[in-house]
């Protein structure tokens, strides 16, 4: 569908999805989401080398099935920061769900809540906290922040997130500028609606602004001091998101981070970097269990979740596939995507001979490189 | 050919095949076997990464021809568990031959018997033991079991197999659930006929049931105790099939297994695993000759048989290619496939400078990784 | 566009370019530059294996984003041999700019000068020094020499370059013959205009001569003595260009070279060689900072500049992309290309967490091989 | 062109060729040589994995240009077994040149002789010694033997070759059976003419016989004793051809071989083997200069010759490209091919900084694996 200059018309259908795989979901979403929004969601930066590596790098490690493990009805339940969740995956923070569906973040929130895991609310949400709450209905939520250059405004944003009930802050540190997203450049992509949370520090609402423009108005100089600041001011556990090196993981922990979020922003920021999965094991070795690790970038199958957990992640976060589900079926589509991952992960656990999430974490993968 | 909803019409022609290679055979079979059956037979799980790796991983090792080895008329004969066989390959257990040919397992059995090697009878056979005997005509057969959750029923099945003359039990341990077979999902594949052997523990005959459904009714909690149970109760040697790790091989042997069957179920179960051939050498090193090793998954050429034997297998098992032969030429087609492998293996033995199967086993391959 | 036998008609448009990436620029240039000239510029030698490797080898190393580095407004300024330049990249010496644009080297020079970096003037320039000066307008320039077999003529050429204000000599040592450029052979490519600087030692002006013919008339026996000769006679710093091995780097330095220029001539000379980037780290380790290192061959993105600097280069040189810019937009097109690299490098520096060029040089890359 | 059942009509044109590269030559030859003959010449065995690897494996090593080496007019002359030759490459023994050109081996011989290197005459020549002599005109020739099962006949064949002036015997040891050449099977290829030299031991002249049939009538049990027998009886130096392992090289030398011929028969025998180039270095290390090494299989460019010599070969042998030259231009076409390799090798030597063949042998390649 072409995006008219006048109006951005996101899908509005709400229905359960019959999912064969998430690659197909991406193709199907491309048929209902306007081109500018679809390219924004699905695209990566530069050569999209890192975008592709995010999925391909999972083939660098193989799962050896363990077939005499006495396993039946594997148990996917786990907990993170005190929240019990249905399965070791949560919703990743992702901007502007309204590009995918008219229910915006509220739709995603309801799907996530119905499934029984944690919602991450992006600072670039197109919906307000109270709108999202309609979907969440009391379920746990974490708040992801893109910091303002002005710490007083950051305090106000954190206050608002706390008032909404956020139980953790996710500091996205890898996006102090926009990556080199060529598709957005070709499409001259601008957001078709505003971003109420960060409009506090933007020159406008965010509507008709490009990502370049918006990132430029957020804070560039991110350092361990920002981790300290957020930790101290919020009193909440702070994840640092965008970690790809053991050094940054240690800096973050030193500054008080309560969790490490390994991610390369889905291959949308610095191209020419390794697949996110290829960086996980070394980071986990450096973290040594001091704090929990969330992993994202490239999760498309249950096998990927399994491999990430076996390489040191405590939970993984689902990004694009959930947005494709939202586009195709609103909150029911989001839930279908989470159910798909759940079913697939249980199958992998059974075939790999692992009864619990803890068993996955103790699995040694086969080096296929 | 399309599978009509009313009726599944498998081929019925019986003729010798002029085989150039087994890849071509797969294509030709696709022209005569109804789509649902063909996809069921030829497909793998997930991304079909492991399915492809099963063949490609043979290129990780190269055969260096030995040209001054004084070889002529190489001898392929060997024996396993007391059976003398024409060549170091046997028929793999594979479900539902009736998808490929109207003569079902009886056709395969006759081809295998005429060639002079061992038939593996699957618990998911569409033919009864006595029907298969018509083809086998007294030739050796092993019985592959998918266990029931109820050990009394397992005893009854083992009793029946023993009464039929099985000289070994193959415990398939890698399939306590169905792999993620997307083609079957798209086709909404159900078996067009029943499975008389396991109908003891199914809610029906197996007809019109999906693989998911059938696997779910079999036993999930497979452990070393099942190996002990089958060994003790049957008094027969028990192979554990689906071994991909040294650890499982040792567990199986510890529990009394008389043989290790290295296999990843032809890439149909856990995707994201290495090619089966890539796991063989390490398993063989762990087994240290204590028990024989059967290898399957990916054998398409004589070179592959040679490489598997040089990496620790005692015999290999042929799966899909035999079923393609069955589809295209009934029992004569099956025999043509076994003859093809025989001719090809003899050629490879001559060119590699190996007089006997024992010589192959002492060959050192070239590391091409 | 076809090159007529009568006349070679290069583009003449002057305009700023809206650049998405430099691969696209190459395609667009192919639409305006006559075929013979385009193939000459874009082609490589032999299988073009080395040409392709020049870009692909950058993927052998990955940049790990550093996200807590307290960076803002990264500073690309640096200096080399006493020249302060806007960013760590300069114009590579490249022959016959007149193939790309009617303003020839003068157009390139103006674009380079306006950007604020160093122009390299090729001995195979189609423009005279005084014509180039019109574009340079006093900006720094280095002179690249293909030596004559006659040292007296070499002295005259050096004298002329010094008189023009060259502050360094670049001795191209990797091109004592033409590489095996099959496209030029098929096109029966000859230069459509003369080369005034080296016409001193050619049998003609260079017009209607093939590259094979021209190289054959230059000096083949290049040795450390030539480095000494040029250093002594010119009194200028001498770079040896075409270095791909640590041994040659040390020989050059031993003979008095003031700089090492790592290059494989853009994959146009010896095919079957590694990508130039793959040779850089070992050379840098041998040079140990004794003299500056210039790197070229394969730079197409800011990531590539970053990776080259992190692997030991002090500056990189831009070749083909600048000529595509010249073809498409004259001097403004050249400046657009340099601006593109500048913008892209600043983005990469910010995302990688490096404030200065020195910070880039201290970055450790991730081994992706 | 289709091969009619009645008649095989090989090309007859005699002309110089304007060669851009040898890959193109293969395509052009495919347009003039009847299909059966073309497939026979160009095809490999099995998956043609080894055929492809023969060329691709040269990319496992890279040539680093040495640019300060004081080289001019590199000298390709060398000698082997006392023969001075124009360049370090000779004609490989190859069967049935009459498939490519009506002048058969006499055409090839004249081209080789005019170039100034050694002709290898295959036992499967379609021309008689005296016919080949018309082309050779006194130039050096080696005789390649496929042994009969009857040593008296072998003596007669050796006697005939000696009488013709052969100065060495090449014992092809890798072809005691035909490789699995699927194209020949599909074409039901039979030789369209007889083979006068080996017709001594065939049931017929060779005409209308398949390669399978002919190989089956030659000797299978090749061992070091055959090397001894040929050495003792002929009094000539004996090369053992088809060596791919250090072990066989040492066995051959132990049995009196005067030279090792590293080859995998151009990927026509045992598929699933490494590229011939990948085996060369280890063999050379085992041989330690005791006897000369000839290398073939995959040589298509001057770079390949250079890399083979730098990895231990003394000379290389040219096979298929020479036959394509024969097909396209008779003896002049053969000479054009040798001239092409000569020109290309000289260019590579100049660019790599090597003055002599001995210099090439002392060059260390760059490991690109």
């Amino acid at each position: 569908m072409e995006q008219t200059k006048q109006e951005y018309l996101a899908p509005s259908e709400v229905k359960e999805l019959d999912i064969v795989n998430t690659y197909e979901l991406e193709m199907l979403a491309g048929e209902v989401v306007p081109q500018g929004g679809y390219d924004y969601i699905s695209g990566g930066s530069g050569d999209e080398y890192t975008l592709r590596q995010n999925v391909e790098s999972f083939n660098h490690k193989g799962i050896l099935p363990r077939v005499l493990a006495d396993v039946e009805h594997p148990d996917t339940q786990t907990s993170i920061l005190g929240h019990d969740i249905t399965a070791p995956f949560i919703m990743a923070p992702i901007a502007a769900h309204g590009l995918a569906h008219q229910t915006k973040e509220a739709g995603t929130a309801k799907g996530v809540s119905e499934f029984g895991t944690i919602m991450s609310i992006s600072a670039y949400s197109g919906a307000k906290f109270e709108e999202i709450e309609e979907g969440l209905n009391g379920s746990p939520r974490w708040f992801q922040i893109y910091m303002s250059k002005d710490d007083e405004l950051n305090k106000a944003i954190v206050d608002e997130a706390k008032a909404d009930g956020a139980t953790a802050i996710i500091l996205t540190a890898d996006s102090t500028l926009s990556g080199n997203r060529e598709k957005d450049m070709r499409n001259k992509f601008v957001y078709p609606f505003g971003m109420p949370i960060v409009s506090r520090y933007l020159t406008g609402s965010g509507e008709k602004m490009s990502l370049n423009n918006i990132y430029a108005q957020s804070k560039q100089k991110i350092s361990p001091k920002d981790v300290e600041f957020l930790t101290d001011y919020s009193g909440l556990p702070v994840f640092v998101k965008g970690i790809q090196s053991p050094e940054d993981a240690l800096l973050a922990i030193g500054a008080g981070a309560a969790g490490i979020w390994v991610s390369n922003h889905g291959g949308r920021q610095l191209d020419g970097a390794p697949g996110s999965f290829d960086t996980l094991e070394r980071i986990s070795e450096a973290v040594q269990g001091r704090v929990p690790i969330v992993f994202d970038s490239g999760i498309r199958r249950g096998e990927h979740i399994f491999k990430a957990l076996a390489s040191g992640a405590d939970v993984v976060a689902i990004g694009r596939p959930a947005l494709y589900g939202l586009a195709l079926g609103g909150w029911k589509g989001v839930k279908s995507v989470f159910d798909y991952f759940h079913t697939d992960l249980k199958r992998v656990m059974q075939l790999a001979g692992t009864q619990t999430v803890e068993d996955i974490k103790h699995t040694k993968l086969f080096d296929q490189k």
Side-chain angles (χ1 to χ4, degrees), chain A:
Chain A
M1 258 187 228
E2 287 212 3
Q3 174 176 0
T4 67
K5 286 205 163 60
Q6 283 68 38
E7 193 179 11
Y8 183 98
L9 198 62
S12 61
E13 198 171 1
V14 177
K15 64 173 179 187
E16 284 181 27
L17 304 176
D18 189 14
I19 299 175
V20 176
N21 61 50
T22 63
Y23 309 114
E24 187 177 88
L25 218 55
E26 178 167 297
M27 288 190 302
L28 295 171
E31 294 172 11
V32 299
V33 176
Q35 189 72 37
Y38 178 71
D39 284 351
Y40 171 85
I41 296 167
S42 61
S45 59
D47 290 322
E48 298 193 333
Y49 171 83
T50 300
L51 177 74
R52 289 189 302 276
Q53 283 297 111
N54 275 346
V55 178
E56 291 178 17
S57 60
F58 286 110
N59 285 335
H60 296 167
K61 299 276 186 180
I63 309 171
L64 290 180
R66 293 298 304 271
V67 301
L68 296 170
D70 210 21
V71 166
E72 187 176 32
H73 307 312
D75 179 4
T76 62
Q77 281 194 293
T78 189
S79 71
I80 184 159
L81 296 190
H83 298 293
D84 290 326
I85 51 180
T86 302
F89 45 88
I90 67 173
M91 180 67 204
I94 190 162
H97 299 205
L99 296 171
H101 200 263
Q102 294 187 18
T103 56
K104 297 188 174 175
E105 283 75 7
T108 311
K110 184 167 173 63
V112 169
S113 162
E114 294 282 333
F115 177 74
T117 190
I118 297 164
M119 174 73 184
S120 299
I121 298 176
S122 169
Y124 289 175
S125 170
K128 296 176 190 164
F129 283 119
E130 54 266 34
E131 291 167 343
I132 302 173
E133 175 57 25
E134 284 175 35
L136 271 178
N137 200 16
S139 281
R141 86 267 338 246
W142 293 348
F143 175 68
Q144 175 269 334
I145 191 166
Y146 284 116
M147 293 182 80
S148 167
K149 295 180 207 293
D150 179 343
D151 270 346
E152 293 309 310
L153 295 179
N154 289 323
K155 287 179 182 173
I157 291 172
V158 167
D159 287 346
E160 193 181 351
K162 284 187 71 171
D164 180 59
T167 56
I169 304 288
I170 305 160
L171 168 60
T172 298
D174 62 7
S175 302
T176 55
L177 282 180
S178 172
N180 178 23
R181 305 193 195 171
E182 300 186 351
K183 286 173 183 160
D184 290 354
M185 291 173 66
R186 289 188 208 279
N187 292 333
K188 302 190 193 309
F189 176 79
V190 293
Y191 290 99
F193 43 74
M195 295 172 171
I197 299 171
V198 292
S199 62
R200 287 174 187 275
Y201 66 74
L202 297 181
T203 54
S205 73
E207 190 176 342
K208 302 298 171 206
M209 291 169 69
S210 72
L211 184 60
N212 263 340
N213 187 348
I214 289 174
Y215 271 137
Q217 296 186 39
S218 68
K219 185 174 194 176
Q220 271 72 55
K221 286 177 69 68
I222 305 282
S223 77
K225 284 181 187 157
D226 296 289
V227 181
E228 275 181 55
F229 167 79
L230 288 172
T231 300
D232 291 349
Y233 183 76
S234 71
L236 293 177
V238 172
F239 281 94
V240 181
K241 178 167 177 284
I243 301 289
Q244 292 283 280
S245 65
E247 292 83 354
D248 274 350
L250 295 173
L251 282 175
I253 293 170
I260 293 300
W261 195 303
V262 172
S263 168
N264 60 24
H265 216 109
R268 296 157 79 85
Q269 288 298 105
L270 184 59
D271 195 46
S276 188
F277 177 68
D278 275 346
T279 72
L280 175 57
E281 193 172 21
R282 287 171 62 225
I283 294 170
S284 165
E285 287 166 4
V287 170
Q288 287 184 304
R290 291 182 188 96
V291 298
I293 295 177
V294 180
F295 172 86
D296 76 33
S297 298
I299 299 286
R300 297 296 177 270
R301 289 197 177 275
E303 287 93 318
H304 301 161
I305 300 173
F306 188 103
K307 289 178 181 180
L309 266 62
S311 301
D314 290 281
V315 304
V316 307
I318 307 296
R320 289 183 182 97
L323 239 59
Y324 300 139
L326 182 68
L328 291 163
W331 76 264
K332 288 189 178 175
V334 172
K335 179 159 186 302
S336 293
V337 169
F338 278 77
D339 285 340
Y340 166 83
F341 280 112
H342 195 204
T343 299
D344 204 29
L345 177 62
K346 283 189 288 187
R347 177 168 40 211
V348 173
M349 288 177 73
Q350 174 72 39
L351 296 176
T354 48
Q355 186 68 52
T356 65
V357 169
E358 209 53 36
D359 289 348
I360 302 176
K361 293 186 188 174
H362 289 100
T363 299
K364 189 165 163 34
L365 300 177
F366 182 87
D367 194 344
Q368 296 189 142
K369 265 184 285 200

